[in-house]
Amino acid sequence: AVVSTQSTGKDLLMVEVPLRISIKVGGTVILSVKMELKTKGSVTIDGAHLSGAVDSITHTTTVATTLIGAVSDSKANSVMDSVLKKTIIPDLNAELKAGITLP
């Protein structure tokens, strides 16, 4: 993972990470995808409280293996776009907004 910060009036956090996601049915991997994920967000420290938000997530998803027939990379990208926008980003932002108290 690559993490960098940049100051532009607020602290900007950028994270790049490779992922491999596998879907199993009955213990057998039926679909595996590789994902290059780049995340940009902001971080705020107010006293001892750390909070933030994800501003954007971009990704490239490629199919690594499949036992369910042909699955195109474009279809895998489309599905991951939907999952990120409708589930992961809102849930992550809710957690980041609440933040944590630093010791």
Side-chain angles (χ1 to χ4, degrees):
V2 175
V3 178
S4 60
T5 60
Q6 174 183 359
S7 183
T8 57
K10 65 178 179 178
D11 291 324
L12 178 66
L13 179 66
M14 299 185 306
V15 179
E16 297 181 27
V17 63
L19 298 173
R20 184 164 184 139
I21 301 169
S22 297
I23 300 170
K24 291 183 179 182
V25 173
T28 301
V29 175
I30 62 166
L31 180 67
S32 179
V33 297
K34 294 179 185 178
M35 177 186 272
E36 291 291 326
L37 189 70
K38 295 180 183 178
T39 305
K40 291 183 183 179
S42 58
V43 177
T44 303
I45 299 175
D46 183 13
H49 190 76
L50 174 70
S51 60
V54 172
D55 299 323
S56 68
I57 295 179
T58 58
H59 67 92
T60 303
T61 304
T62 55
V63 176
T65 62
T66 177
L67 296 179
I68 57 173
V71 178
S72 68
D73 290 345
S74 64
K75 180 57 91 175
N77 270 296
S78 177
V79 169
M80 290 311 299
D81 277 341
S82 182
V83 169
L84 287 168
K85 290 176 184 170
K86 293 180 180 177
T87 305
I88 294 174
I89 294 173
D91 288 351
L92 186 56
N93 275 335
E95 292 294 324
L96 291 171
K97 182 178 180 181
I100 60 170
T101 301
L102 300 172

